[in-house]
Amino acid sequence: MKFSIVIPAHNEEERLPPVLEAYASFFQGKLGDDAEILLVANGCTDHTADIAFEIAKKHSSIRVIDEPNRVGKGGAVILGVKEAVGDYIGFVDADGATSPEEFFRLYEKSQGKVGVIGSRWMKGADVTIPQKAMRLLSSRTFNWLTRILLGLKYKDTQCGAKIFSSNAWKTILPNIGTTRFAFDVDILYQLRRHNYTVQEEPTIWKDVEGSKVRFFNSSLDMFLAIVRMRLLYSPFSFVVNLYDQFLSRIVDFLRRDSLFCHAMMLSMASMVANVCNVGFQMIVVRALSPVDYALLTTFFSLFAIVARPVGTLATATTHYTSLLIKEGRSGTVKRLVRKWMLIAGVPSIICSAICIVFARQIAAAFHLDRVAPVVVSAAAIPALFLTPVIGGAMRGLQQFGWSAVASVSGAISRLVIGASFVILLYPACGWALLGHVGGSYFNLIISLIVLMLLIMKFPADREKLPSFRLYLAQCFFIQFSIALLMNGDVVFVKHFLPAETDFAKAATLGRMVVFLTASVTMAMFPKVSSAGEFTKEHRKIYLRGVAYTSVFLAISLMFCIFFPRFLHHFLFGIQEPGAALIGQTRWMAVVMGISVLLGINTSLLLAQRRFKAASIVVVSALFYYGGVQLFHGNTFEIIAVAGVANLLGLVGTTVFILKQKTEDG
């Protein structure tokens, strides 16, 4: 009885040779000419196919299929199965997680049956090197979903060791529609639909470094794939057909675009954080007096104004981390992060202590009759300075999934802590601020833990650390200018028009347009970072970033412009907001929209070290400050000056960027 083994391989030039040699030698000895191995090189960009051809010269049982296009693991397996001649056809991963001896044992178990699949979770399985936490979580969650949605009762659908009879393969191949991460599930589901019974067998298995599966990248793919399978064989199959006909090409393009995927990941986190922020605002605006809420909003604006220039630490850390990784200097990243954590952390702790000691004097300078908000704000200073360094390094490493987790965790903590304090303890500005600070530290701690786990794996090196003090200094003025353009309105209104307490509500709603769109800027920055060169790829990424931002912006603006009454009623409990408040909300949303587009332009210029062009932002901020000194008779004058200043910056930076010639033609 002949046995065919399909081994799909994508860029496995390092792990494949010993595995392929071992399988060829072992099965030649056990089955002789009745064994064949089909190595399918799946869209490889390295020397996997060449190495496989060389090994095949020494083993007549090996056949190599070199597929130039990347067709996914499932597509590669299907190619191999179609070429196989065995009575039983199995497939196994190229990483060697299943040994030849163990795969032969599964083959013996399959005799006389439809097929056998290896299981790492049955009693008797031997997992010699346990999976890492994230892969384990992904595997168990996915298994739970397949049980609920598809009715598959297997304990392990994803183990890369499966063997089925050729007759079973012939029956199910025409119906298999998934070639990515959910391919194994599709096979088992099709077998179940055709009333085939497959045996699950405990196996010996070890986790191998270099997995192509990434928790955050693959989880959504896997979930959507099993939802598709369930819909396809239900009364709602027309949904799948409509999707295939009208949306599939667009979605496939977007799924291949790392900028879109990372931006969506951050956007989802931003949406959750925004929901938590809405909840926080709904609670505190009802709990606090109008004076306290206006004071709270002022402190938040001050935080934002300080955080933006301090965020130059994130800009610089992201920029240099990204460049070092592109240059293959991961060890230098470790030292860079440690250095700037000390540089940012120690002074911030000292500054925090000084502010707490002199809290009364600071409160008096701001005409406050209490010191609690000053003390709480001072306690936030270390988080304000350390979070940009740690978060910037995470984004430079393009760990957007973990950045999203930290962001969501911080937002949830902010809501829970802040709401608990103002409801259960005392409805005052200081207690609400304490919730905000607690959320900031929760975000910081999670990011710090993840970053330390990441960089501790990097090799040690003694290469010279890049100095980015000059970069940092130039970024500071530009980021401070952006902060003023985006957040100065509340501070100016508080200073010139202290009686206008309702403006804080309009400003809060207007800033809703920022939350969804900021994710594109964050995802774009490390992808366009360079030492000064501007390539065609950079231009494409920038234009896609502007397009995605514009879509998110249009959605956000629609709510603020067309449904301001609903938003005020829902968020602040205002039954009939006045015409002035409605107008303020609409125009603030428009101004913030312009500011968001200016922000993405500025991000590109900073990523590419084009500080002369970015100085346009500084000029716009000076225009804003000077204009408000002259025109501050009412809130609409301040909003108008903000809009004109942001628009000048947007037009100037856009013209410069579009005139830039790419260095690669």
Side-chain angles (χ1 to χ4, degrees), residues 269 403 524 611 614:
S403 295
M524 185 190 78
F611 295 108

Side-chain angles (χ1 to χ4, degrees), residues 487-499:
N487 301 285
D489 49 86
V490 175
V491 178
F492 288 138
V493 169
K494 178 68 177 175
H495 177 71
F496 290 113
L497 306 166

